[in-house]
Amino acid sequence: MTIVRHRKTLDHISSYVPAKSLQQIENELGLERIIRLAANENTNGCSPKVKEAIAENYNKIFLYPDGFCTELRSELSKLYNIEENKLIFGNGSFELLSLVAQAFINPGEESIIPEPSFGWYKVVTLAMNGSIVSLPLKSHSIDLDEVKDSITDRTKIIWLCNPNNPTGTFFNSEDLERFLREIPSRIVVVLDEAYYEFVTNDEYPNSINFVEKYPNIIILRTFSKVYGLASLRVGYGIAHPELIDLLNKIRLPINVNATAQVAALASLKDIDFKNACIKNNILGKEYYYKAFEELNLEYIPTETNFIMVNVERDSIEVVNDVLKRGISLRAGAEFGMPTWLRITIGRPDENQLVIEKLKEVLDIV
Ligand SMILES: *Cc1c(COP(=O)(O)O)cnc(C)c1O
């Protein structure tokens, strides 16, 4: 392509590499069935009510979807007891992260990103000609005091993943409130709460309570994780209506498809399924904690549906060896943690298999 000249800023962006699809891995390795525990999907699937809802909607598929997500909006506003105009829906939270960057970052303005964290924050900042201020985690956690100390006159967005992907750690309500009080209100704070439903610690912030007082924050949640709808792409944001209005100006007018909307709505109504998944996750966590302690492997206690463990070996090699045995995990090397693995917590049989295969690969008896 020598004729069309792209924006120079694209040269600074390395392409985002999502986890490979199951089909891709199975084809590459010639394996029958791979258990995928690399992308924090819900291996329990989704609520059976989703199937009915999609079937019912099937004969309306020729119609454009509701660009306002009216029913889903109404249901979530009841669930959280917030006004409907504090909500925005996206094609996954990925889209909403992009919109936030597009709405706020002028060329040269800074994003503060505690790292390792979710990779997309960097890409969307660079795409807007913003610059990255990367801040290392402290004991695998976001230290809000350090984040505050990194603020400059050019800081525009602070991206906080809570609990943090990939480490599974969280910051508490008291620390968040003090942070919001002390930082300049001209800075947008993104609270990415993709794993919110899995948190069990009661010190975790109920961040919705801060939205009225702090119109510079936006909370992002998703149907991809506990609700098991990752393939359908629905995420949502909660913020002050003025911030929501800005994002709506540049949002694709019809960004969430109708199948996704009915599925999300049905899954919200199936509280039993959600609770069963949360319970499964708690048991899974306990299983892994115990197993890692027995194996004498260091791990990070987690508030999410994944867990990081230090195998004290090259994580890429270990991931490849485990993959040959039919399980796909994430190598910490991708996050600058070269001897760690990130393992999605699955069903009990899957978790047991992970430990069994890890023992084989690490040669522990
Ligand atoms: C999985 C994940 C998301 C992605 O959510 P989608 O709604 O599927 O786009 C966003 N943020 C973090 C931190 C995640 O781990």
Side-chain angles (χ1 to χ4, degrees), residues 101-261:
Q102 287 166 27
F104 293 105
I105 298 181
N106 291 297
E109 288 184 328
E110 292 169 354
S111 273
I112 299 180
I113 309 177
E115 286 188 303
S117 196
F118 197 51
W120 195 238
Y121 310 147
K122 224 178 204 165
V123 177
V124 296
T125 299
L126 293 173
M128 297 312 295
N129 287 82
S131 51
I132 310 285
V133 175
S134 170
L135 194 66
L137 299 181
K138 215 159 109 183
S139 315
H140 309 303
S141 308
I142 296 174
D143 182 323
L144 290 176
D145 287 327
E146 282 188 3
V147 175
K148 196 184 77 183
D149 292 341
S150 313
I151 291 173
T152 71
D153 291 343
R154 295 195 304 166
T155 304
K156 194 50 168 288
I157 303 184
I158 299 176
W159 307 84
L160 301 175
C161 189
N162 193 36
N164 188 46
N165 180 2
T167 52
T169 56
F170 79 108
F171 51 78
N172 68 28
S173 189
E174 200 185 311
D175 290 349
L176 174 62
E177 178 148 41
R178 185 165 23 101
F179 175 78
L180 292 175
R181 207 167 47 229
E182 291 176 352
I183 66 163
S185 55
R186 62 175 168 82
I187 297 171
V188 176
V189 178
V190 176
L191 297 170
D192 186 342
E193 298 185 349
Y195 301 95
Y196 151 82
E197 291 87 354
F198 291 110
V199 175
T200 55
N201 192 305
D202 8 304
E203 288 179 32
Y204 182 76
N206 189 350
S207 51
I208 291 181
N209 292 343
F210 300 138
V211 163
E212 195 62 48
K213 188 160 171 207
Y214 298 100
N216 57 322
I217 71 171
I218 177 161
I219 301 158
L220 299 179
R221 293 183 187 167
T222 180
F223 284 92
S224 301
K225 304 288 157 64
V226 77
Y227 293 108
L229 300 181
S231 78
L232 291 177
R233 317 302 305 125
V234 200
Y236 57 98
I238 307 168
H240 194 279
E242 283 182 32
L243 197 159
I244 296 287
D245 284 348
L246 294 172
L247 301 183
N248 270 327
K249 285 189 180 184
I250 49 172
R251 171 175 71 79
L252 285 182
I254 307 173
N255 57 339
V256 181
N257 75 70
T259 307
Q261 290 185 37

Side-chain angles (χ1 to χ4, degrees), residues 37-65:
L37 300 169
N40 306 334
E41 290 140 336
N42 186 345
T43 63
N44 295 289
C46 66
S47 159
K49 301 223 161 82
V50 166
K51 200 171 174 183
E52 293 164 33
I54 292 178
E56 259 172 52
N57 185 65
Y58 181 74
N59 57 0
K60 294 193 207 146
I61 231 153
F62 66 97
L63 294 168
Y64 277 113

Side-chain angles (χ1 to χ4, degrees), residues 68-70 72-74 76-78 81-89 211-212 217-218 237-248:
F68 193 63
C69 298
T70 307
L72 188 53
R73 180 181 296 272
S74 157
L76 274 177
S77 103
K78 276 186 258 163
N81 193 22
I82 50 168
E83 293 85 349
E84 294 194 359
N85 62 5
K86 287 188 172 135
L87 286 163
I88 184 168
F89 294 86
V211 163
E212 195 62 48
I217 71 171
I218 177 161
I238 307 168
H240 194 279
E242 283 182 32
L243 197 159
I244 296 287
D245 284 348
L246 294 172
L247 301 183
N248 270 327

